[in-house]
Amino acid sequence: MLNQFVIVGEVKTPPVLKETPNKIKYTDVKIDVKRNFKNSFGEYDYDIIECKLWRGIAEHFVETYTGESNILIAVKGRIESNEVMD
């Protein structure tokens, strides 16, 4: 089995470098991804995908992020789900 995905979209939230209790650096990023088909109104819809970047990739992204609008990012990673208890 393979758990791998690739998305390309616009950065929607400025990255902030954070640290786990074990001193591992990470940042959370929301990416606005355009669907590859039009809806019933003839317009493209977007999905907001939340991604977590780790270690050196997170540090590099935070250091080089300029804050400009319409910045595209490509992310290759894996999907992880977590069970939420009520």
Side-chain angles (χ1 to χ4, degrees), residues 2-80:
L2 179 65
N3 180 355
Q4 184 174 347
F5 80 104
V6 176
I7 59 171
V8 177
E10 292 181 21
V11 176
K12 299 310 284 181
T13 55
V16 176
L17 195 61
K18 302 173 189 173
E19 224 174 57
T20 68
N22 294 336
K23 305 290 185 200
I24 299 172
K25 294 180 180 171
Y26 71 96
T27 188
D28 296 309
V29 178
K30 288 185 181 179
I31 302 171
D32 207 5
V33 180
K34 182 174 152 180
R35 293 184 182 176
N36 62 350
F37 56 90
K38 294 180 180 180
N39 62 22
S40 59
F41 300 107
E43 301 168 345
Y44 289 102
D45 287 326
Y46 290 81
D47 294 297
I48 297 175
I49 309 295
E50 295 183 24
C51 297
K52 191 173 293 285
L53 308 178
W54 292 96
R55 297 182 172 87
I57 294 171
E59 290 180 82
H60 179 72
F61 185 66
V62 170
E63 290 170 5
T64 58
Y65 181 76
T66 62
E68 296 177 32
S69 60
N70 302 325
I71 292 181
L72 290 178
I73 182 174
V75 177
K76 178 181 176 184
R78 65 181 171 88
I79 296 173
E80 179 178 309

